[in-house]
Amino acid sequence: MSDIRTNEEEGKKSLNFIEAIVEKDLSEGKNGGRVQTRFPPEPNGYLHIGHAKAICLDFGIAERYDGICNLRFDDTNPVKEDVEYVDSIKEDIEWLGFRWNEIFYASDYFQQLYDFAIQLIKEGKAYVDEQSSEVIAQQKGTPTQPGIESPYRNRPVEESLDLFTRMNQGEFEEGSMILRAKIDMASPNMHFRDPVMYRIIHHPHHRTGSTWKVYPMYDFAHGQSDYFEGVTHSLCTLEFEVHRPLYDYYIDLLKESDDYHPRQTEFNRLNLTYTVMSKRKLLQLVREGLVNGWDDPRMPTICGYRRRGFTPESIRNFIKKIGYTKYDGMIDMALLEHAVREDLNQRAPRVSAVLDPVKLIITNYPDGEVELMEAINNPEDPKTGSHKIAFTRELFIEREDFMEEAPKKFFRMTPGREVRLKNAYIVTCTGCKKNEAGEITEIYAEYDPMTKTGMPESNRKVKGTLHWVSAEHSLPAEVRLYDRLFLSENPSEEKDKELHELLNPQSLTALTNCRVEMELQHAKPYDHFQFQRLGYFNLDPDSKKGKLIFNRTVSLKDNWSKVKEKV
Ligand code: ATP
Ligand code: MG
C-alpha cells in the first residue's frame, strides 16, 4: 500500500539518520574530519527518479559538510554498458543542479583489482572453480543449510594462479570457469559462501577495449573502489545491507592501516506508484517500442521528466519531502506531482490555450477590430508583469464550456446567461448553430462594452470565467496529454503478466487541433506555462516553427491534498 509519510516538517528540525552518522563521525574526528561520498551508477541505462534520491543524498551530504562527492561509473559489465549512458548520466546530474568533484570509472581500477585478486590467490584466499554455474548454485545451500564445498576449493595455489592468468588472456570460454573467494561455505550470510570475484567476458569494454577478458563482480569492485578513492561514507540502497559484511571483508584484507576504512550505510529506495523503476524494465519499454525512447514524458527517467516539464527544484523538493529511512515503501505519485505544481505555480507564466476549440462570435463587436487586452503573467510573482492578448469578434472557446441546455449549476456558456471572458468582457450567450450531425459549429454572444476588465462595471457578479483565444490572432498547436503509464499501482508485483499487458492504453492523448495565444510564438523548448484553467504545460523540443507541440506536465487539480487528509 501507499506509504505517504512525509519528512518535510521533521527534516527542518532534525537530521536524517545518515546526517546524524556523519556528524557523529565528524565529532569523533574520524577520517581526519573529511567527508567524501560518491554517486556510483552503472552506465547501463538512463537515470530514473530513484537515482535522483541517491544523487540528492550523495551530493547533498558532501555539500552540507564541506566534503566532496565524486561521480564514479560502475562499469564492470561491458555487455550492458555504453558511452551513450555515460553522457546522459552526466547531463542529468548537472540538470538536477549538482556538480561532482571528479569523474572516476571502476575500470580505472581494473589493474589494481586484478593485482589484489592475484594477492588473494597467493594467500590461499581465492581459487579458480571450473564447475558450471548451475552446479555452483546447487551447492550454495540455504540460509539454514550449509553449502557444499567445490572440489576445486583446495586446488594448489599455482594452479589457480596459472588458470586465472590464462582466463584473462582469453584462453577459455565464457562461463567455463570463475574466480571465487575462499571464505566459508557454512556462513549464515550467503554472500560469504565463496562468492564469485571474477568472470570471463569476451565482449569489448567501452573504455578498456579488449585489454581485459576477466571482469570483477560488483562485490569485488565496489568497496575497493571506495577505498582507492578515499570515500568516507558509501551510501547505497537497502538491498546492499546483506552485502556489507563482504564489503568490509575485502577492505579489511586490502587496507594498509586501521586509520581508514570506508563505511557503507543503506537507505530505503524510492518506489513510486504506477511505474517501474528498474533499468532493465525501462530498457525493455524502450526496446519494445512501448514508449518513445528514454525521454518519453511518461517515463520515470530524469530526461523523461525534464521533457515533460518537471523542474529540478520540484524533484529535489519532492526528495526532501519523502526523506531517508531504513524502511522500504511505496510513495504516491501524487506527492511528486504536488511538488511540481507547487514549483510551477511560482514560475510559470499564465497564458491562454484552447484544446478543443469551437468558434464563438461576438455579434455586436465590430468586424476587423482588434483590442489588445492586458493579461497578468503571474499573480504569484507581480514583478513578471503582463503581456497582451488580442480580442476580436471571432474567438475560440473550449467545446466543453458550452451547453445548449444546461442545468442550473452550469456556470459556463449557455444561452441567456452571462459569463466573463477572462481579461476581456462580460458576454451574454444568444444561441448557436449546428451542422446536420447535430454538432455545434458556432456559438453566438453579445458583449457589454461597459464591462471591459478594469472598468467599474466589470466587477459585476458573474459566476463563470472562461478562457478564450482570438480566432485570427492565435496559433495552431498540438497538445499531448499524459496519464499514468501503468494501470496497476505496483506493476512490479504483477509477476504473471508481461510488461505490455500492464500498460495504460490511455497514457498518451495527442490533441492536434488546439489553438494557443500569439504570445507563445516566442516560446523556447522546455519553457513552462500555465494554460489558464487547464494545467501546466511546456514546449516540447520536437516543436518546429509553425508546428508548436506542448506537453501537459500536470493538471491543475491536486490529488495529493486529498490523499494527505486521509493520513
Ligand atoms: P536499477 O535496479 O534500476 O537497475 P541500480 O541499482 O542497478 O538500479 P545503479 O546504476 O547501480 O542502478 O545505481 C546507482 C545508485 O543509485 C546506487 O547507489 C543505487 O543504490 C541507487 N539507486 C538505484 N535505484 C534507486 C532507487 N529506486 N532509489 C534510491 N536509490 C536508488
Ligand atoms: Mg546496480
Side-chain angles (χ1 to χ4, degrees):
M1 266 333 289
S2 303
D3 172 358
I4 37 182
R5 278 166 300 180
T6 108
N7 286 16
E8 193 177 15
E9 294 88 65
E10 212 173 281
K12 280 187 202 132
K13 283 186 252 131
S14 60
L15 305 174
N16 69 40
F17 78 99
I18 295 169
E19 290 162 344
I21 290 172
V22 173
E23 293 206 357
K24 183 163 179 286
D25 288 350
L26 285 174
S27 71
E28 289 171 2
K30 281 200 187 146
N31 304 306
R34 229 166 33 83
V35 173
Q36 184 173 329
T37 59
R38 84 287 169 267
F39 174 62
E42 184 178 356
N44 62 351
Y46 282 64
L47 296 182
H48 52 60
I49 182 102
H51 292 114
K53 179 171 178 176
I55 290 170
C56 289
L57 183 66
D58 292 325
F59 287 89
I61 290 276
E63 258 169 35
R64 181 160 183 172
Y65 297 103
D66 278 334
I68 55 176
C69 178
N70 294 315
L71 171 59
R72 183 200 314 137
F73 289 102
D74 204 350
D75 55 348
T76 52
N77 184 355
V79 181
K80 294 189 188 156
E81 295 157 8
D82 199 275
V83 275
E84 173 195 348
Y85 302 132
V86 169
D87 294 340
S88 76
I89 288 170
K90 290 194 234 170
E91 183 184 355
D92 290 348
I93 295 172
E94 292 191 311
W95 179 76
L96 282 171
F98 295 104
R99 301 287 172 267
W100 50 83
N101 184 59
E102 279 189 79
I103 297 185
F104 295 116
Y105 295 83
S107 54
D108 292 339
Y109 313 123
F110 281 170
Q111 186 64 52
Q112 279 157 286
L113 291 168
Y114 184 83
D115 294 345
F116 181 43
I118 297 277
Q119 176 199 323
L120 295 187
I121 298 173
K122 285 184 180 160
E123 290 172 0
K125 295 187 176 107
Y127 61 96
V128 170
D129 195 334
E130 294 173 54
Q131 301 180 99
S132 70
S133 55
E134 292 77 24
V135 172
I136 292 174
Q138 281 161 16
Q139 293 170 345
K140 268 257 146 148
T142 67
T144 50
Q145 245 183 351
I148 298 164
E149 294 189 355
S150 161
Y152 296 99
R153 195 173 199 261
N154 294 313
R155 75 191 318 166
V157 164
E158 283 66 36
E159 233 175 78
S160 282
L161 268 182
D162 173 59
L163 287 172
F164 185 54
T165 318
R166 287 163 58 202
M167 274 163 72
N168 192 40
Q169 282 158 358
E171 275 190 43
F172 308 115
E173 298 274 294
E174 288 186 10
S176 62
M177 47 186 84
I178 53 172
L179 184 70
R180 293 177 79 176
K182 187 169 166 182
I183 309 181
D184 180 4
M185 288 304 289
S187 171
N189 183 334
M190 301 293 283
H191 294 279
F192 269 48
R193 296 189 183 178
D194 292 9
V196 183
M197 291 163 57
Y198 272 92
R199 72 268 206 225
I200 301 170
I201 299 177
H202 288 291
H203 195 282
H205 187 279
H206 69 105
R207 291 187 77 237
T208 58
S210 50
T211 310
W212 301 93
K213 297 286 189 294
V214 291
Y215 289 88
M217 301 299 289
Y218 171 88
D219 283 321
F220 192 69
H222 204 90
Q224 289 93 307
S225 304
D226 284 345
Y227 178 84
F228 296 140
E229 287 168 14
V231 169
T232 58
H233 297 86
S234 181
L235 312 172
C236 60
T237 34
L238 283 172
E239 70 271 23
F240 292 105
E241 195 163 13
V242 284
H243 294 244
R244 191 187 338 132
L246 188 55
Y247 175 100
D248 288 332
Y249 171 85
Y250 287 131
I251 293 176
D252 282 334
L253 291 177
L254 180 67
K255 72 178 183 197
E256 281 156 10
S257 82
D258 285 338
D259 294 345
Y260 166 61
H261 183 127
R263 286 284 159 215
Q264 175 179 308
T265 306
E266 309 83 14
F267 59 92
N268 61 333
R269 30 182 329 120
L270 169 61
N271 300 303
L272 265 188
T273 54
Y274 298 102
T275 192
V276 294
M277 210 77 93
S278 110
K279 276 186 277 183
R280 186 176 56 79
K281 288 192 184 138
L282 296 177
L283 179 63
Q284 195 185 337
L285 288 173
V286 174
R287 289 237 168 106
E288 293 181 9
L290 300 171
V291 293
N292 302 315
W294 286 97
D295 69 344
D296 186 305
R298 293 167 294 178
M299 290 280 271
T301 49
I302 305 293
C303 57
Y305 285 136
R306 173 165 65 233
R307 184 158 179 188
R308 169 116 169 215
F310 287 27
T311 57
E313 292 80 3
S314 61
I315 293 177
R316 295 206 308 259
N317 286 339
F318 163 71
I319 304 281
K320 219 179 272 168
K321 278 184 184 149
I322 58 175
Y324 297 87
T325 72
K326 277 280 187 189
Y327 312 96
D328 270 326
M330 180 70 85
I331 299 291
D332 199 309
M333 178 78 103
L335 180 56
L336 174 57
E337 292 177 353
H338 173 76
V340 174
R341 253 180 225 108
E342 255 182 355
D343 187 45
L344 291 180
N345 183 37
Q346 299 301 318
R347 67 172 77 229
R350 276 58 170 167
V351 294
S352 293
V354 176
L355 304 193
D356 183 13
V358 61
K359 198 164 257 184
L360 169 68
I361 302 179
I362 313 293
T363 49
N364 60 341
Y365 194 83
D367 206 4
E369 181 150 337
V370 183
E371 262 181 291
L372 293 177
M373 303 300 197
E374 182 100 8
I376 290 180
N377 284 333
N378 189 346
E380 300 289 327
D381 187 1
K383 66 177 183 305
T384 56
S386 62
H387 67 275
K388 303 285 189 208
I389 176 167
F391 185 82
T392 51
R393 177 184 162 90
E394 296 200 356
L395 307 171
F396 286 118
I397 62 167
E398 298 287 350
R399 189 166 284 278
E400 64 166 30
D401 279 341
F402 175 78
M403 242 174 137
E404 199 179 3
E405 280 163 51
K408 249 197 156 132
K409 293 240 153 127
F410 186 76
F411 299 126
R412 294 183 252 174
M413 188 153 303
T414 187
R417 293 190 208 162
E418 280 197 324
V419 69
R420 185 187 307 279
L421 296 181
K422 178 97 186 161
N423 300 321
Y425 293 100
I426 296 173
V427 300
T428 306
C429 181
T430 53
C432 66
K433 185 164 119 189
K434 285 185 261 186
N435 64 14
E436 280 167 10
E439 284 170 301
I440 291 160
T441 52
E442 281 178 359
I443 302 165
Y444 307 108
E446 289 181 356
Y447 85 117
D448 177 347
M450 300 312 290
T451 60
K452 185 170 172 178
T453 301
M455 287 179 163
E457 262 306 290
S458 72
N459 296 329
R460 197 152 85 208
K461 216 168 162 52
V462 174
K463 280 254 164 80
T465 300
L466 305 186
H467 63 276
W468 51 272
V469 296
S470 158
E472 195 189 339
H473 298 270
S474 62
L475 302 165
E478 175 177 331
V479 173
R480 295 173 182 166
L481 306 180
Y482 302 103
D483 196 358
R484 321 175 146 132
L485 185 53
F486 288 90
L487 288 171
S488 142
E489 189 172 71
N490 188 359
S492 304
E493 259 179 7
E494 314 249 350
K495 304 271 184 243
D496 51 337
K497 287 209 182 114
E498 294 288 327
L499 211 50
H500 69 88
E501 296 175 288
L502 295 166
L503 293 179
N504 173 8
Q506 259 105 48
S507 61
L508 167 63
T509 310
L511 306 173
T512 51
N513 193 27
C514 313
R515 305 291 303 191
V516 299
E517 65 169 279
M518 291 305 269
E519 182 72 7
L520 289 168
Q521 66 187 320
H522 307 298
K524 290 187 291 302
Y526 303 103
D527 277 355
H528 307 283
F529 301 96
Q530 185 194 97
F531 288 180
Q532 309 260 18
R533 296 175 65 223
L534 298 175
Y536 294 100
F537 293 76
N538 79 340
L539 188 71
D540 191 88
D542 273 356
S543 297
K544 291 184 194 68
K545 216 171 159 42
K547 188 171 191 281
L548 296 174
I549 302 171
F550 292 93
N551 299 305
R552 183 171 67 192
T553 310
V554 276
S555 61
L556 284 182
K557 215 168 71 219
D558 194 340
N559 296 321
W560 171 245
S561 318
K562 261 188 278 164
V563 176
K564 214 156 133 190
E565 273 162 29
K566 282 193 274 169
V567 185

